[in-house]
Every structure is written in structure tokens, then in C-alpha cells.
Amino acid sequence: MAISILLLNGPNLNMLGTREPQIYGSQTLEDVETLCKNHAEEKGASLSVFQSNHEGDLVDAIQKARGHYDAIVFNPGAYTHTSIAIRDAITAAQMAIYEVHLSNVHAREEFRHHSYVSGVAKAVIAGLGVHGYLAAIDEICDDA
Ligand code: DQA
């Protein structure tokens, strides 16, 4: 059966394109989602997308993903650094999560150096821009 992937983006990622483009690039979230969908399709996988600015909505999405998707490519945005609820949802769902950050969070402010997600993620990619999402998709497809 074809691999199915959920691309999940957290708070403020709906502002991509206009939000600090020197850090996050000039592509919009829609551009990124289309790129990821096309990339997954080229690999014979299917990809659904969801973005929310709300922690509980992201928890709901992770809970619901179980049984529906093989893996989640997840940029939790600022919740990376604050959310035990999101970490617990990942553990409870027992899903392969690929944590992606557009920027290299380790080269930025100290409060971005800690991630609640990394310890329960299958892999962490930071600083490759949009390519990070594509690398995660490649890895999921090649790992299957
Ligand atoms: C981010 C990094 C986070 O620190 C920040 O809060 C974001 C985006 C990234 O993609 O580089 O919203 O996850």
C-alpha cells in the first residue's frame, strides 16, 4: 500500500513568505505544501496537510493521525520549545515523527535550543529551509 504522510505545521507558519523572510525564506505555506505534495507523489506516496496556530488543535491532529498515516513531518514552530502536551501526544500516538525547522534553531536565541519534541522524534532536521521538509519525505519513503 502507498505510504501516507501528514505534513503538520504549527503556529505562525501560515505567515511564511512575509514572516522574517531573511530567516524563513520567501515561499508561502501554500507554496511549501504544494512542493511537498508533488514531491511525495513523485515518490509514490500521498501527503495531506494541516496547519494550526492552536496547541490543542495540533494535539488533536496527532491523536487522529494514528492509523491513518505512516508518518508525520512536523514543524511545531514555537511550541517546539514549550509544549509538553504536544510531546505527550506524540508518545501516545506512537507515530514516527520527523521534526523539521526551517532555520537552524541552535544558531539562534538560547530559548530555541531546547525542543520538547526532539526526544520523541524519529529524526530532527534544522536549518535546511524548505529542503528539510523534502528530505524528511525522502527519508520516510526510502525507509519504507
Ligand atoms: C521554527 C523555529 C522556531 O523556533 C520558531 O518559533 C518557528 C519556526 C523554524 O521552522 O525554524 O516558528 O520552527
Side-chain angles (χ1 to χ4, degrees):
M1 232 171 63
I3 306 241
S4 68
I5 301 167
L6 175 63
L7 173 64
L8 195 57
N9 278 290
N12 298 307
L13 291 159
N14 57 317
M15 301 299 288
L16 284 181
T18 55
R19 174 192 182 199
E20 299 176 274
Q22 71 285 5
I23 296 176
Y24 298 116
S26 55
Q27 300 198 65
T28 65
L29 180 62
E30 203 183 334
D31 293 337
V32 173
E33 289 175 342
T34 303
L35 202 69
C36 288
K37 266 189 190 167
N38 291 342
H39 192 72
E41 272 163 29
E42 275 164 28
K43 295 240 150 197
S46 68
L47 183 134
S48 305
V49 300
F50 182 69
Q51 185 275 333
S52 178
N53 292 325
H54 305 282
E55 187 175 16
D57 287 348
L58 294 165
V59 168
D60 286 344
I62 294 163
Q63 288 182 1
K64 283 184 199 142
R66 190 178 159 86
H68 294 282
Y69 298 98
D70 297 297
I72 301 177
V73 177
F74 188 20
N75 184 345
Y79 289 138
T80 307
H81 319 298
T82 63
S83 181
I84 297 170
I86 285 176
R87 180 193 173 102
D88 284 351
I90 295 168
T91 308
Q94 293 182 294
M95 292 209 46
I97 298 245
Y98 291 72
E99 178 184 350
V100 173
H101 300 285
L102 293 158
S103 64
N104 178 0
V105 282
H106 299 288
R108 299 181 62 195
E109 303 94 326
E110 203 166 331
F111 64 83
R112 295 185 204 274
H113 296 181
H114 177 258
S115 165
Y116 280 104
V117 174
S118 297
V120 291
K122 181 142 187 198
V124 184
I125 301 169
L128 294 183
V130 172
H131 187 71
Y133 291 109
L134 305 181
I137 293 166
D138 284 343
E139 189 55 33
I140 293 164
C141 294
D142 296 347
D143 198 36

